Amino acid sequence: MSSNSRLTRAYKNAKVIPFDDASKFILFSDCHRGDNSFADDFANNRNIYYHALNFYFKEGFQYCEIGDGDELWENVNFESIFEAHKNVYGLLRKFHLARRLHMIWGNHDMVYKNPDYVKENLSSYFEPIDNKSKELFEGITYYEAIRLKHRQTAQELFLTHGHQADWWNYTFWRWSRFLVRVLWKPLQVWGIADPTSPAKNYKELIKIERRIKKWILRNELLLTIVGHTHRPRFPEPGDIPFFNDGSCVHPRSITGIEIENGQISLIKWQIATTDDGILRVVRILLEGPRKLADYQKAKG
């Protein structure tokens, strides 16, 4: 199956979420939440991520996680990840209970496409203090893609991880997982990069982006937002509407995409030092805001 066919299938099977100009979404991807070991890239940005997500919860945003939220290539099971970042999952649970949590699986957490696996591992957790199981993400469903569809204009935003355009990490993801778990995780301590990752292989990154752009051109310039390559993208109106929210494992910062007031923005959260020497987590606007309507293909 070609990358074009895989992306088309993801689009056709996507969960549809109606929205309007009053709706607010924050899109993060590629958190790669791990077990807090030396190989856990998320651990360095955990406080930034938690602060940002807490801000969005209080402001009434819906959270869309566009794949690779949990690092299930380097880690064998979810339990070790949950124990390492329990406060983060407690916050995600608040979004879930408020019906504001929308999860997409990527190649590093592709096991979540299996509803039975999700039910068994994410529905509840054991709390040693109380000596009993407690609910976590009861009834949650992971999707390959999401389509945000505007109630008034019918404009669609296509959200998917983007590994559909990466044949090795889609078709042979089990082999990639094996290589990462057995070989590259131990070598990370020596600074040796994983060549199966498009985020660390520039030639593969360019190929993947080119395939997604071709798919967008074949599908009437559908506004498409992905992750996977970890490279933020924010096109100008008139260009191919190919967006990338970046990742949550950039050095000392995380990037994401906000949708609010009928507009789209690329943002970054990082730690900054005030004049009096206090460290604060701050939000920085990188691109936008731009009206979503500016990316809608004219009819007729």
Side-chain angles (χ1 to χ4, degrees), residues 98-197:
R99 299 179 182 272
R100 290 193 268 140
L101 182 66
H102 313 288
M103 305 296 267
I104 290 173
W105 48 263
N107 52 305
H108 280 251
D109 50 12
M110 197 180 283
V111 289
Y112 291 157
K113 71 178 181 178
N114 182 345
D116 293 332
Y117 183 97
V118 172
K119 184 177 181 180
E120 180 180 351
N121 291 274
L122 303 185
S123 293
S124 62
Y125 66 97
F126 181 75
E127 179 54 73
I129 296 176
D130 300 325
N131 196 32
K132 64 179 182 180
S133 293
K134 292 189 174 182
E135 288 187 355
L136 184 58
F137 302 129
E138 185 69 27
I140 196 170
T141 300
Y142 276 69
Y143 297 89
E144 184 174 2
I146 289 172
R147 286 153 56 190
L148 303 181
K149 187 168 185 178
H150 200 282
R151 289 187 177 93
Q152 283 75 45
T153 67
Q155 182 182 15
E156 287 191 344
L157 284 63
F158 177 48
L159 282 53
T160 195
H161 184 58
H163 65 301
Q164 294 85 354
D166 182 352
W167 69 273
W168 176 260
N169 281 307
Y170 192 97
T171 304
F172 299 104
W173 67 274
R174 288 183 175 86
W175 282 102
S176 295
R177 181 179 64 181
F178 173 79
L179 290 172
V180 167
R181 190 174 291 173
V182 175
L183 182 60
W184 300 115
K185 181 180 180 180
L187 290 177
Q188 271 189 279
V189 72
W190 301 103
I192 299 176
D194 169 17
T196 67
S197 169

Side-chain angles (χ1 to χ4, degrees), residues 10-55:
Y11 172 80
K12 289 181 178 179
N13 295 331
K15 175 186 180 182
V16 178
I17 301 176
F19 80 107
D20 53 36
D21 289 352
S23 303
K24 297 190 284 187
F25 294 90
I26 173 62
L27 281 53
F28 286 134
S29 75
D30 299 276
C31 301
H32 293 278
R33 292 180 290 263
D35 61 357
N36 206 31
S37 68
F38 63 86
D40 184 0
D41 295 328
F42 174 75
N44 296 322
N45 291 336
R46 173 174 49 197
N47 292 333
I48 300 174
Y49 175 86
Y50 184 89
H51 177 87
L53 207 58
N54 194 43
F55 167 84

